């Protein structure tokens, strides 16, 4: 089941909340019908999913995000996929991710964060400044969006917070500047997973979803 959510804040941020089936493992849903997503039955854990670059048609319906959501809801975990507000060179987009995480933390016992490409960098940067996250997974993040939105620097801060991190990347990726992120991750002892693929993981979306969910799900149940 999916519902549309408006994320509070100064920017127009809209999201889709995919809720786990009531018979999925560890789902904590009630049988009582509810009028809207604010009061809808949901699991006690959720992953906020950050989409790729909005100026390159990135949006919350991206197939990598929906594959991750499908794999999570199959495991009894909800997924909040959101769209960024108006383009703001990575600054407002990072604020949007933080606002979505705040919405989730107000409603769930445990919250994880995921992002793909531009969204992977946004996820790492948001995780570096937001306490209370259970785990973070970035898929094909680029090293930097602007001088202040820097995934390489953010990784160290996330690790310092004690938040489990996994970075998934494609060895044939010629789109994102991913090498500095992986070098930093390996230096910090952060778990990395390589796919023999291009940046878009063509034909591999379902496997990507499983790889992300198999990392996040156990940490959201602890």
């Amino acid at each position: 089941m999916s519902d549309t959510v408006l994320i509070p804040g100064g920017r127009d941020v809209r999201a889709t909340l995919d809720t786990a089936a009531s018979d999925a493992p560890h789902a904590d849903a009630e049988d009582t019908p509810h009028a809207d997503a604010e009061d809808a039955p949901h699991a006690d854990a959720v992953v906020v999913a950050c989409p790729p670059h909005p100026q390159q048609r990135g949006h919350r319906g991206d197939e990598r995000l929906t594959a991750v959501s499908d794999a999570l809801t199959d495991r009894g975990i909800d997924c909040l996929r959101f769209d960024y507000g108006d383009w703001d060179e990575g600054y407002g987009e990072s604020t949007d991710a933080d606002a979505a995480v705040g919405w989730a933390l107000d409603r769930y016992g445990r919250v994880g964060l995921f992002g793909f490409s531009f969204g992977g960098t946004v996820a790492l940067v948001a995780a570096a400044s937001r306490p209370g996250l259970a785990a973070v997974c970035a898929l094909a993040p680029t090293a930097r969006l602007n001088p202040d939105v820097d995934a390489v620097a953010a990784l160290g801060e996330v690790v310092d917070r004690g938040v489990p991190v996994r970075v998934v990347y494609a060895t044939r990726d010629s789109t994102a500047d991913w090498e500095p992120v992986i070098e930093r991750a390996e230096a910090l002892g952060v778990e990395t997973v390589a796919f023999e693929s291009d940046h878009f993981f063509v034909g591999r979306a379902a496997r990507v979803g499983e790889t992300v969910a198999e990392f996040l799900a156990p940490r959201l149940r602890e």
Side-chain angles (χ1 to χ4, degrees):
M1 184 177 73
S2 297
D3 293 284
T4 300
V5 175
L6 299 179
I7 304 298
R11 289 165 53 84
D12 183 11
V13 180
R14 298 166 188 255
T16 297
L17 178 65
D18 302 321
T19 52
S22 59
D23 58 351
H26 299 278
D28 184 20
E30 299 173 359
D31 294 329
T32 306
H34 294 263
D36 54 41
E38 293 292 314
D39 298 317
H42 56 67
D44 61 0
V46 67
V47 171
V48 175
C50 308
H53 205 301
Q55 290 196 315
Q56 297 173 8
R57 295 182 292 180
H59 57 88
R60 67 184 188 261
D62 179 88
E63 70 170 332
R64 276 85 17 175
L65 267 66
T66 58
V68 167
S69 181
D70 288 346
L72 288 166
T73 55
D74 284 349
R75 290 166 167 82
I77 294 168
D78 291 356
C79 185
L80 182 75
R81 300 177 282 113
F82 72 92
D83 283 332
Y84 306 111
D86 291 341
W87 171 243
D88 192 32
E89 300 182 354
Y91 293 102
E93 292 75 17
S94 299
T95 299
D96 297 341
D98 184 75
V101 169
W103 182 94
L105 286 168
D106 284 345
R107 292 162 176 80
Y108 290 83
R110 296 184 70 78
V111 176
L113 190 53
F114 164 74
F116 166 53
S117 190
F118 175 99
T121 305
V122 167
L124 291 170
V125 169
S129 60
R130 168 63 81 161
L133 290 170
V136 181
C137 186
L139 175 67
T142 194
R144 186 188 295 269
L145 305 183
N146 61 48
D148 303 307
V149 183
D150 182 342
V152 177
L155 263 174
E157 297 176 43
V158 176
V159 170
D160 287 346
R161 287 182 177 274
V163 179
V165 186
R166 171 181 278 185
V167 180
V168 183
Y169 66 101
T171 57
R172 294 187 279 108
D173 187 346
S174 60
T175 300
D177 180 24
W178 55 270
E179 291 93 339
V181 183
I182 296 304
E183 289 174 6
R184 180 61 172 154
E186 292 176 347
L188 291 167
V190 168
E191 182 177 349
T192 63
V193 177
F195 273 72
E196 291 292 331
S197 177
D198 63 5
H199 179 71
F200 301 100
F201 300 88
V202 174
R204 309 295 295 279
R207 183 58 198 143
V208 163
E210 291 296 316
T211 299
V212 173
E214 72 186 11
F215 172 77
L216 291 174
R219 290 157 182 83
L220 287 165
R221 295 188 186 124
E222 292 176 355

